[in-house]
Amino acid sequence: MTRKAEAAPGPTGTRRPAGGRSARLAPHTLAARDAWASALEAVPRSRFLPDLIWPHDMATGETTSVDRARDPRAWQRHADADEPIVTQWDDGNHRGEAPGRSFTSSSSMPSLVSAMLADLDARPGHRALEIGTGTGWNAALLAHRLGAENVVTIEVDRAVADEARRRLTDFGMPVRVVHGDGFLGHADGAPYDRLIATCGLRQIPHAWVAQVRPGGVLLVPWGTYYGPGEATARLVVAPDGRGASGPFTRPVAFMRMRSQRLVWPRHDDYVPPGAVSAADTSSTALTEAQLLGTGSFDAVDFALGLRVPRVARNVDRKHDGQRAVWFYGLTDRSWAVVVFRDDRERAKVYQAGPRRLWDEVADAHAWWVAHGEPAYDRFGLTVDERGQHVWLDDPDQVIGRPQGASG
Ligand SMILES: C[S@@+](CC[C@H](N)C(=O)[O-])C[C@H]1O[C@@H](n2cnc3c(N)ncnc32)[C@H](O)[C@@H]1O
């Protein structure tokens, strides 16, 4: 059974350019890339997967079920492939083979898993905390290098936590699996040398910084409400232990932490009948490609989200050479829409409400262009007792304080 994936985020893959293909996992290639290759060979992903899996094709966006009992060879092929595999839908409320509405637990792409472990720079002797146990495979990889006694992992979903604990024990790596909300971290095991989150955050809790020793590293997928643009922040805890700061290392697409999911605004609540004809109108020379980027590695979404806080954006499907892109304010009923038409040079804009959301987006885009269209790795994040702020090139060049939807 097949299902087109939700628009974003994906079930944890590296964001690929459109048209990219899933590659077979090649351990020797990975060996050249990072020190985690031998762990990947010693700890096969297949030992942590359930019999019913939903591999996700990053190129087509399709998610197809594979049942081990019915097709063991296909199951093994997918387990060994460099692709994300969905292992739970709809917080476990969905049963059966057909894909559900939203993927809520998965095993990430092996190449991304190894790249993140390399970024984390966890070494023998370190103690590590993982947020988001999922299948338990990443915890097992950590345990392979650090020792099972030095790894704690937290999972919010009880059934997922129980299954991972069982598989870790069966594999001979009895990592401590805690069932609970990872947002609080796990103070009992602190201080840690390393903290890795394998679900996406919009707001990193200071508790995590407080639980990692000075000089220790946090690696956290992070993004705003604006769009799917997300990247891993690699934060090093300051010598006084009060804050942590560092650059973004790579674009990713993780499912968000349960408590930080976006509850999509209801279009009709913002734009009731007649609202478009009553809205302020203007036009823009910004093109669809400039606003949306041309590949999934494009940093434009990420950058705009940093400059336009508390806004969700929705891109309509293209229809008859026309595409509408909507913006919804998350703390008031401000909205805007820009309508691109293939046969027009300028796009029409409608906006209404206390904020002028399109003006904010256009200003943010001009700012991004004026700064040389920075990619993810020119941005960085600092988390301290006052909250979090994002910077460009240098921690002193603060460009925004993106908070939660209500912040
Ligand atoms: C991409 S999966 C993790 C993959 C996992 N590391 C592995 O090796 O299979 C993300 C996981 O984060 C969990 N999660 C979401 N919110 C959480 C929270 N607040 N605390 C702990 N886990 C959470 C989800 O239930 C899901 O299992």
Side-chain angles (χ1 to χ4, degrees):
M1 300 212 185
T2 296
R3 173 171 197 271
K4 272 279 190 198
E6 304 286 309
T12 60
T14 305
R15 292 159 61 74
R16 291 175 186 272
R21 294 178 62 80
S22 295
R24 283 277 302 172
L25 176 61
H28 54 280
T29 317
L30 295 174
R33 269 192 43 194
D34 66 65
W36 286 88
S38 63
L40 282 159
E41 285 180 29
V43 183
R45 173 159 80 154
S46 54
R47 293 289 302 268
F48 294 86
L49 294 174
D51 290 346
L52 183 59
I53 57 175
W54 292 268
H56 178 81
D57 189 317
M58 299 291 288
T60 64
E62 288 190 344
T63 303
T64 309
S65 67
V66 179
D67 185 347
R68 189 180 202 170
R70 206 174 311 141
D71 193 345
R73 288 175 61 181
W75 187 94
Q76 190 65 49
R77 196 173 62 248
H78 285 292
D80 292 341
D82 193 21
E83 59 191 16
I85 294 178
V86 176
T87 50
Q88 186 202 59
W89 296 91
D90 304 332
D91 296 331
N93 297 318
H94 176 82
R95 298 265 174 263
E97 214 172 290
R101 280 173 58 81
S102 317
F103 14 75
T104 48
S105 194
S106 69
S107 170
S108 309
M109 279 172 77
S111 58
L112 174 62
V113 169
S114 65
M116 285 179 63
L117 287 169
D119 284 351
L120 184 68
D121 192 24
R123 302 184 200 161
H126 280 164
R127 286 181 45 72
L129 174 65
E130 181 194 38
I131 315 291
T133 311
T135 62
W137 184 48
N138 191 57
L141 292 166
L142 280 166
H144 178 77
R145 287 200 76 201
L146 313 186
E149 67 285 6
N150 289 320
V151 179
V152 180
T153 178
I154 310 180
E155 170 58 52
V156 73
D157 188 291
R158 183 181 289 281
V160 172
D162 289 349
E163 184 66 9
R165 191 182 297 111
R166 188 183 66 72
R167 288 184 194 279
L168 282 158
T169 305
D170 285 356
F171 195 69
M173 289 187 173
V175 166
R176 176 138 194 236
V177 179
V178 177
H179 167 236
D181 184 357
F183 190 74
L184 305 172
H186 187 65
D188 280 0
Y192 304 98
D193 301 283
R194 297 290 184 266
L195 182 151
I196 182 170
T198 56
C199 50
L201 276 280
R202 295 186 160 104
Q203 195 157 15
I204 299 177
H206 188 259
W208 290 6
V209 175
Q211 290 174 24
V212 176
R213 68 159 168 82
V217 174
L218 295 87
L219 191 76
V220 184
W222 187 94
T224 66
Y225 287 94
Y226 178 82
E230 190 189 27
T232 40
R234 187 183 192 279
L235 312 178
V236 178
V237 180
D240 65 8
R242 297 173 69 166
S245 187
F248 292 96
T249 53
R250 65 187 69 250
V252 291
F254 272 84
M255 57 191 65
R256 309 290 180 165
M257 176 170 263
R258 266 196 192 180
S259 54
Q260 298 194 14
R261 290 175 185 159
L262 170 64
V263 179
W264 264 100
R266 272 172 39 90
H267 178 83
D268 293 352
D269 291 344
Y270 283 73
V271 193
V276 172
S277 47
D280 290 355
T281 56
S282 58
S283 69
T284 178
L286 213 59
T287 66
E288 189 183 332
Q290 286 169 328
L291 178 68
L292 302 178
T294 47
S296 27
F297 279 116
D298 222 306
V300 63
D301 268 355
F302 184 72
L304 297 188
L306 301 178
R307 300 286 292 182
V308 187
R310 299 179 295 279
V311 168
R313 183 212 57 187
N314 188 48
V315 182
D316 278 358
R317 278 181 203 280
K318 198 154 196 163
H319 192 66
D320 289 341
Q322 178 170 309
R323 189 198 296 283
V325 181
W326 295 88
F327 306 89
Y328 306 96
L330 296 175
T331 47
D332 58 32
R333 289 286 162 86
S334 301
W335 63 269
V337 62
V338 55
V339 184
F340 297 104
R341 276 180 55 164
D342 288 348
D343 60 351
R344 297 265 170 89
E345 274 188 13
R346 294 184 69 86
K348 192 137 193 196
V349 173
Y350 304 81
Q351 45 189 343
R355 288 171 76 180
R356 284 294 175 264
L357 295 184
W358 172 256
D359 298 350
E360 290 186 36
V361 171
D363 287 352
H365 194 276
W367 175 90
W368 184 64
V369 172
H371 285 80
E373 303 188 4
Y376 294 89
D377 57 1
R378 280 184 59 194
F379 293 104
L381 184 70
T382 299
V383 179
D384 58 26
E385 286 143 338
R386 288 168 302 156
Q388 59 184 16
H389 56 262
V390 181
W391 38 267
L392 179 67
D393 295 329
D394 184 284
D396 290 336
Q397 286 192 50
V398 174
I399 59 160
R401 294 184 181 278
Q403 301 287 320
S406 57

